[in-house]
Amino acid sequence: MSLHRWLLTALILMMAVFPSASGSGLSGVAHAQVELPNQPQAVPEPAIDPAANSSDDRAIANRLRGIFQEIDGMQEVAVAVDAGVVRLSGSVADDAAADRAKAIAQRVSGVVTVDTRFERDLSVGGNVEPVVDKLGTSLQSFLSALPLIGIAILVAAVVGLLGHLLASLMGFWKRVTPNIFLAELIAGSIRVVFIFIGIFIALDILNATALIGAVLGGAGVIGLAVGFALRDTVDNYMSSIMLSIRQPFRANDHVLIGDREGRVVRLTSRATILMTLDGNHLRIPNATVFKAEILNYTRNPQRRFSFELGVDADDDPAAAIETGLAAINGQDFVLNDPEATAEIREVGDSNILITFHGWIDQRHSDYRKARGAAIRVTKNALEESGFALPEPIYRLRFDNGAAKSLANLSQAQVSEMPGKKPRKVGTEETLDVSREDHVEKLVDSERSDDGSADLLDDKQPVE
């Protein structure tokens, strides 16, 4: 035993032996508060009254019987109480009613414990009548609320009609938005917003705004799932909006989108429609168009063509360049400003490769025709001036082992060889470089005949 417990015991014994010393200094010690070490405090169990008797049991039983008689579905519950122990029996409609009866009995003062011995009521009347009564009550409540429901529906309809009238002002929305696509988008959004506002006001009138939180919560989860599932569609839709605002090309522009080339027919809310140079329709999703590199050949009417020609390694490249440029500049379809240019591209083992450049006006000349015509006149001019264009060199081996090169053979000997035709020099023909506008006319015809919506607007600035 610890020292402070010994001292406490001694003080108690001294107080018992010397009770008259209460006025002395010992009384001050006896009445002083002695702090004991902290001990764990146990939570006491509810005490059972030892003085309970049969009258208390009868009072508990009568109290419970009175309560059960006032509750629908519990009139058949039998109550027996003995020494504070309540026994409930009889028939109830379901387990919920049994649990409720037990909970009520446990709340009565003086009850020690509750023992239940219920039986499920399987009678038709006991199970059907409560449902019928509940439906009747609900129907009566609904009929009573009909005027309020009618007012709520009327208010929602008026708000929705107001949104529809605002959305119908398409002339105004077309003036304040860049194109008809955004005008229709804003009009549709106004309709949806006003419908939701009308529903919210109607539910507020019916005091059912808590339903909005549940609906919006469910809509948020559903919207998130749908957003992940339709992310490609949403991406394409947003790309359509951006393209309609930025207007990267006009109708009938000759464009190269990625690796797809053609003339623009129209821009819709889902795809950009091209007509290829072969006369075929090509639909490219707007998401692809928005992310791709777009090369517009129509924006600048002046366009440069380039081609390469080679001359013999023994020839003078400067003289070849001068001869070729003179031939190119002598063509009417080649622009003088900017003038044609040329440079040595590469010096090989048997040839010198020269690159020629020239400019044309695409409004009057076809690019492919002009390039082909320029190659032709330049080649002929070089040959007429005595420049040898590189040809494949073969070495022939005869039976006696001697080897001859075609390069060492005379022109007559080469022309007499099978399959070799003499070169025609100095025969120039009229070159046709007129614009090829058949595809352009097809696009114009389709745009005039088809009334499909087009997001391209000539009145809007081009990006």
Side-chain angles (χ1 to χ4, degrees):
M1 183 179 297
S2 60
L3 178 60
H4 66 273
R5 290 186 178 275
W6 282 105
L7 292 176
L8 181 60
T9 304
L11 288 174
I12 293 174
L13 291 175
M14 291 176 65
M15 292 175 63
V17 175
F18 304 102
S20 58
S22 59
S24 64
L26 292 176
S27 64
V29 177
H31 288 84
Q33 294 182 356
V34 180
E35 296 183 1
L36 297 177
N38 292 333
Q39 300 293 333
Q41 301 293 329
V43 179
E45 295 291 337
I48 299 176
D49 188 4
N53 49 44
S54 58
S55 60
D56 294 335
D57 293 341
R58 287 194 297 273
I60 293 173
N62 292 333
R63 178 61 174 161
L64 289 175
R65 293 190 187 101
I67 293 174
F68 292 149
Q69 289 298 320
E70 299 298 328
I71 300 176
D72 293 337
M74 294 187 181
Q75 288 83 1
E76 301 298 327
V77 175
V79 181
V81 183
D82 186 9
V85 178
V86 178
R87 294 182 177 86
L88 302 179
S89 60
S91 60
V92 292
D94 49 26
D95 294 338
D99 295 338
R100 184 182 181 189
K102 183 176 180 180
I104 292 173
Q106 289 175 339
R107 294 171 57 189
V108 177
S109 177
V111 175
V112 177
T113 186
V114 179
D115 183 18
T116 58
R117 299 177 181 177
F118 290 117
E119 297 178 356
R120 174 67 189 277
D121 184 11
L122 300 177
S123 63
V124 176
N127 288 274
V128 175
E129 288 181 1
V131 177
V132 174
D133 293 340
K134 186 176 181 179
L135 291 176
T137 303
S138 301
L139 180 60
Q140 185 177 1
S141 300
F142 175 74
L143 294 176
S144 301
L146 276 180
L148 188 62
I149 294 174
I151 294 175
I153 293 176
L154 180 61
V155 171
V158 170
V159 175
L161 181 60
L162 178 61
H164 178 73
L165 292 177
L166 289 176
S168 300
L169 302 176
M170 290 302 298
F172 172 76
W173 299 120
K174 290 179 181 179
R175 288 193 298 270
V176 300
T177 55
N179 52 66
I180 188 173
F181 180 57
L182 286 179
E184 293 177 352
L185 180 62
I186 292 177
S189 301
I190 289 176
R191 286 191 181 93
V192 173
V193 169
F194 271 77
I195 289 174
F196 274 103
I197 292 176
I199 294 175
F200 179 82
I201 295 175
L203 292 178
D204 193 17
I205 293 175
L206 297 175
N207 197 21
T209 53
L211 181 62
I212 295 180
V215 172
L216 292 179
V221 175
I222 295 174
L224 185 62
V226 172
F228 276 110
L230 302 178
R231 59 183 180 274
D232 293 337
T233 303
V234 174
D235 183 19
N236 194 62
Y237 192 77
M238 296 303 299
S239 299
S240 302
I241 296 176
M242 296 303 299
L243 289 175
S244 66
I245 296 175
R246 297 171 62 178
Q247 298 280 318
F249 37 71
R250 297 294 193 197
N252 225 329
D253 277 1
H254 183 189
V255 297
L256 178 66
I257 302 176
D259 57 349
R260 287 85 178 262
E261 184 177 1
R263 287 191 172 271
V264 179
V265 178
R266 67 174 50 86
L267 173 65
T268 67
S269 60
R270 292 179 296 178
T272 298
I273 303 175
L274 299 183
M275 182 172 290
T276 66
L277 302 183
D278 298 329
N280 299 318
H281 278 70
L282 176 63
R283 299 177 63 91
I284 308 176
N286 285 335
T288 303
V289 176
F290 184 72
K291 298 175 183 178
E293 297 177 353
I294 301 176
L295 178 59
N296 194 327
Y297 294 112
T298 307
R299 185 65 56 84
N300 183 9
Q302 294 182 350
R303 184 176 178 183
R304 190 180 78 165
F305 62 85
S306 301
F307 61 90
E308 295 177 351
L309 287 177
V311 296
D312 191 85
D314 296 331
D315 292 335
D316 183 6
I321 289 176
E322 183 179 357
T323 302
L325 290 179
I328 294 175
N329 290 323
Q331 306 304 312
D332 295 336
F333 59 86
V334 178
L335 300 179
N336 295 325
D337 185 18
E339 62 182 6
T341 59
E343 73 272 358
I344 299 175
R345 176 67 179 275
E346 181 182 352
V347 176
D349 296 335
S350 60
N351 68 340
I352 300 175
L353 196 62
I354 302 175
T355 302
F356 295 92
H357 309 282
W359 290 82
I360 63 169
D361 189 341
Q362 296 185 96
R363 293 171 296 184
H364 308 293
S365 303
D366 184 80
Y367 171 78
R368 289 172 175 80
K369 290 181 179 180
R371 182 176 180 273
I375 294 174
R376 178 182 177 184
V377 297
T378 305
K379 171 182 174 296
N380 292 342
L382 290 174
E383 290 178 338
E384 289 178 353
S385 300
F387 292 94
L389 274 65
E391 297 179 352
I393 299 177
Y394 300 94
R395 298 184 66 85
L396 303 179
R397 190 174 186 87
F398 299 94
D399 293 339
N400 57 5
K404 290 186 178 182
S405 173
L406 288 181
N408 299 325
L409 297 178
S410 64
Q411 183 68 24
Q413 291 174 323
V414 173
S415 61
E416 292 175 358
M417 295 178 63
K420 185 66 176 179
K421 296 182 179 180
R423 183 181 301 163
K424 294 182 180 180
V425 180
T427 57
E428 290 296 336
E429 298 178 0
T430 303
L431 302 178
D432 179 18
V433 294
S434 60
R435 287 184 64 243
E436 180 62 49
D437 58 354
H438 180 65
V439 175
E440 185 176 353
K441 291 180 179 179
L442 288 178
V443 173
D444 290 335
S445 175
E446 180 170 342
R447 288 181 57 83
S448 61
D449 295 341
D450 194 351
S452 302
D454 186 9
L455 302 182
L456 297 176
D457 188 359
D458 294 339
K459 299 179 181 178
Q460 298 296 328
V462 181
E463 183 185 35

